[in-house]
Amino acid sequence: MRVTISDVARAAGVSKTTVSRVLNTKAEVDGATAARVREVIDVLGYVPSSGAVGLARGSSRTIGMLTPSLTWPWMGEVLQGVADTVEAAGYGMLLFTCNRGADSVAHFATQVSARAFDGLLVVLPEGTLGTVTAMHRRGMPVVLVDDHGHRPAFPSVATTHHIGGASAAAHLLATGRERPLVITGPTRFGCVRERLAGFVDVLPTDLVINGEFTEDTGRDAVERSLAEGRPFDSVFAHNDLIAAGALRALRAVGRRVPDDVALVGFDDLPMARHTEPPLTTVRQPMRAMGEAAARMLLAGLGGAPLPDEPLVLPTELVVRRSA
């Protein structure tokens, strides 16, 4: 049976609050009492929970993180950046996903009500902006990772989607491409609209097909354009999965990449280095965004003022053989 803080308090002849104060090295506990409590902890083999450690401190020393799904291709990079930063600061992390829609949100809300964590990092699940904003207004410290162009009323870390799209267009234009096919993600996302706007500012095109962030979208868009006889000499895909689908469709009909069609993706997922040919893409600094968001939230929990404007980290064009 697990040893609890109550067991320690009973054996040491003190209150649970006193045990918690010893765990938190509070000065108001006299030396003899603190020594007795530590001896009991050693004898019983007590391992404090985050709740016990935070009892006297008034915090759980735990960060909550809300995400849409762990299957998003770049989510692992964001989580690693957050975990590295949070753990280095001596905090724990509770992870919540919204895979079950309203049920997931309801479960998450109960954890907020129970004050299971001190602050919240969010990769925004669809349809939850209002809920998260209300939590922030009620006093929950919140930092958003990758704002998708929403520009929320609380701190966020974003990246340069418009500049990323423009850099892809400039690179294609510099290599002599003049008739691009652009395959976008869902246009309800602000990041998609920003990437498209940045691209067409530099290299205008009327050949734009909207879809999802999937390989099927890339394959279907290329097949549709070829079937309709709409010529293109390049493809700008709004993520690397779309680019991979486009690449397969081009190879299936004998179009050589990059000789016949140049191809540029977005994200720089690990797979981008392993396609054939390796994929030119716009790198999102996802791990750095997770790190920056976690540092921002931890600083706010420590009393530092949180910024009113988003912290924006730059994208980077990574040139490989596909373009």
Side-chain angles (χ1 to χ4, degrees):
M1 183 180 296
R2 181 179 176 181
V3 178
T4 69
I5 193 172
S6 296
D7 297 327
V8 173
R10 189 180 307 110
V14 298
S15 69
K16 290 191 292 183
T17 300
T18 297
V19 176
S20 186
R21 286 173 176 160
V22 171
L23 292 170
N24 286 280
T25 64
K26 295 288 187 178
E28 58 262 33
V29 181
D30 69 83
T33 300
R36 186 168 74 254
V37 169
R38 292 192 188 98
E39 182 179 357
V40 170
I41 287 172
D42 290 341
V43 169
L44 297 181
Y46 172 62
V47 178
S49 68
S50 60
V53 172
L55 181 60
R57 175 184 285 145
S59 71
S60 66
R61 291 195 63 83
T62 300
I63 297 299
M65 184 159 188
L66 177 65
T67 72
S69 169
L70 299 183
T71 62
W72 281 25
W74 44 255
M75 190 61 70
E77 286 292 298
V78 174
L79 288 174
Q80 194 62 61
V82 170
D84 289 346
T85 305
V86 166
E87 289 173 7
Y91 275 69
M93 183 171 73
L94 290 175
L95 180 62
F96 305 89
T97 69
C98 278
N99 286 330
R100 295 183 297 113
D103 288 343
S104 295
V105 174
H107 171 70
F108 169 67
T110 65
Q111 300 302 301
V112 175
S113 299
R115 299 195 63 82
F117 47 85
D118 302 328
L120 179 64
L121 295 171
V122 183
V123 179
L124 198 66
E126 285 194 73
T128 62
L129 179 59
T131 299
V132 174
T133 300
M135 291 175 180
H136 171 69
R137 287 173 178 163
R138 288 195 296 267
M140 172 64 69
V142 177
V143 175
L144 181 63
V145 186
D146 189 16
D147 66 11
H148 288 296
H150 286 296
R151 301 296 182 266
F154 47 83
S156 64
V157 178
T159 192
T160 51
H161 296 290
H162 190 282
I163 292 173
S167 68
H171 179 69
L172 290 174
L173 194 59
T175 59
R177 312 294 173 156
E178 298 179 344
R179 179 64 177 161
L181 163 64
V182 178
I183 311 174
T184 83
T187 56
R188 63 184 180 273
F189 291 142
C191 60
V192 168
R193 298 191 296 272
E194 290 178 10
R195 291 174 196 178
L196 178 59
F199 187 91
V200 299
D201 281 351
V202 176
L203 184 54
T205 181
D206 59 357
L207 189 50
V208 178
I209 296 178
N210 304 319
E212 301 295 327
F213 286 126
T214 64
E215 289 191 37
D216 286 348
T217 283
R219 184 197 66 227
D220 294 346
V222 166
E223 290 176 350
R224 172 180 160 188
S225 298
L226 293 173
E228 293 175 355
R230 304 177 72 183
F232 55 93
D233 59 11
S234 53
V235 174
F236 173 45
H238 271 208
N239 80 344
D240 293 340
L241 291 179
I242 295 174
L247 177 59
R248 290 181 181 177
L250 290 166
R251 294 181 67 178
V253 296
R255 296 291 181 95
R256 297 169 299 167
V257 175
D259 296 347
D260 299 323
V261 179
L263 177 61
V264 178
F266 208 106
D267 285 343
D268 196 27
L269 301 177
M271 61 166 286
R273 298 187 292 274
H274 304 296
T275 57
E276 183 51 45
L279 185 62
T280 293
T281 187
V282 179
R283 176 181 294 156
Q284 288 201 81
M286 301 311 305
R287 184 174 298 206
M289 290 170 69
E291 292 170 350
R295 285 196 302 269
M296 186 184 296
L297 182 58
L298 291 168
L301 294 177
L306 292 172
D308 294 327
E309 295 297 320
L311 173 64
V312 181
L313 303 182
T315 52
E316 176 190 0
L317 181 71
V318 179
V319 178
R320 300 190 181 101
R321 288 195 288 115
S322 73

